[in-house]
Amino acid sequence: MGRITATGLSWSVKGHRLLHDIHLDARDGQIVGLLGPNGSGKTTLLRLLAGLRRPDTGTVRYDGTNLRDLNRRSLARRLAVVEQDISTHDHVSVRQVVELGRTPFRGRFDALTTHDQQIIDAALERTNITDKQHRSWHTLSGGERQRTQLARALAQQPREILLDEPTNHLDIRHQLELLELLTTLEITCVIALHDLNLAARYCDHIVMLDHGRVVAAGTPDIVLTAELIASVYGVDVLVDREPTTGVLRVTYLAPTGIGQPVNQT
Ligand SMILES: Nc1ncnc2c1ncn2[C@@H]1O[C@H](COP(=O)(O)OP(=O)(O)OP(=O)(O)O)[C@@H](O)[C@H]1O
C-alpha cells in the first residue's frame, strides 16, 4: 500500500489557470474520492498525479519520492491508471489488454511466465470478465471495457491506482461490485466520481473541487453537507442517513432556486 501526496499543485494551459494550489494525501489503502462538477478539474488533477502532465508549481510524491525522480518503469511498477473511455486496443482481445498490465515487469521480448498468467487469470476473475477474455476489444460494451481496464490495472499489482469515473457505463450491480472490490484491495485509490452516494458509502476521504480549487476535504460526513452541495453543484439536496446501514444518504431535490417554494405559515 502506497502513499500519494500532492502539495501546492497548480496547472495552466495557454495562460489560463485550471488548477490552483491543490493539496491531497492518500495513504494506506484509503479510497480518496475526487468530486466536483463537470469541468472542475478532476481529470486534470488525476493526470498530474499520474505524471502525464507536469505541474506549474507543487509536487507529487509517491511514498515520499518526488514523481520527477521516478522513471516511467518504476512508476508503472507501482501505479496503475484507469482513464475514461479508452478507445484504443481495437484489434486485440480482452486477455491481451489485461496482459499489458504485466508489461512493466517484463523484458521487451520476454514471454509471459506462468506466474504472469496466474496474475492475469486472477485479475480477469476479480473483475468478472473471464468469460469474455477471448472476445475482441472492439466488440465489448462500455461496461465490459471498463471492467477490462480495471483488470489490466489489477494485473499490474499496483500499490496505488488512479481511476477516472470508473463507474461510467456500469450498471448498478457492477458499480457496487467495483467499489466493493476496491475496498477489499490493499491498494491506495484516488477515484473521480460523480455519484455522491457512492462517494459517501465507499470513500474514506473526499476532496471536493470547484473551478480548479479544493473547496472542502475530509471524511464524507464533513464534506457532503447540503450547504456545500448546493453551493458547488447548484442543487438542493436532503442529506440524512440510511436507516439500516447508517451510511450518509443524499437525496436530490431540485436545482437551486427552482424547487418548490417553502410553505411559510
Ligand atoms: N488541454 C486543455 N486545454 C484547454 N482546456 C483544458 C485542457 N484540459 C482541460 N481543460 C479544461 O479544464 C477544465 C477541467 O477539465 P477536467 O477534464 O479536468 O474536468 P473534470 O472535473 O474531469 O470534468 P468532467 O466531470 O466533465 O469529466 C475544463 O474546463 C476543461 O475544458
Side-chain angles (χ1 to χ4, degrees), residues 11 13 18 37-44 53 84 165 194:
W11 190 71
V13 60
L18 298 176
N38 292 139
S40 56
K42 302 179 295 296
T43 299
T44 309
R53 298 213 192 291
Q84 275 192 63
E165 292 174 33
H194 275 301

Side-chain angles (χ1 to χ4, degrees), residues 86-121:
I86 308 277
S87 53
T88 50
H89 308 314
D90 268 4
H91 300 293
V92 291
S93 70
V94 167
R95 191 172 181 95
Q96 285 171 320
V97 173
V98 180
E99 286 173 0
L100 293 175
R102 300 306 300 157
T103 308
F105 303 94
R106 298 161 61 197
R108 197 159 166 206
F109 301 107
D110 291 348
L112 289 161
T113 63
T114 310
H115 179 59
D116 289 323
Q117 301 288 6
Q118 285 166 349
I119 291 169
I120 291 160
D121 286 339

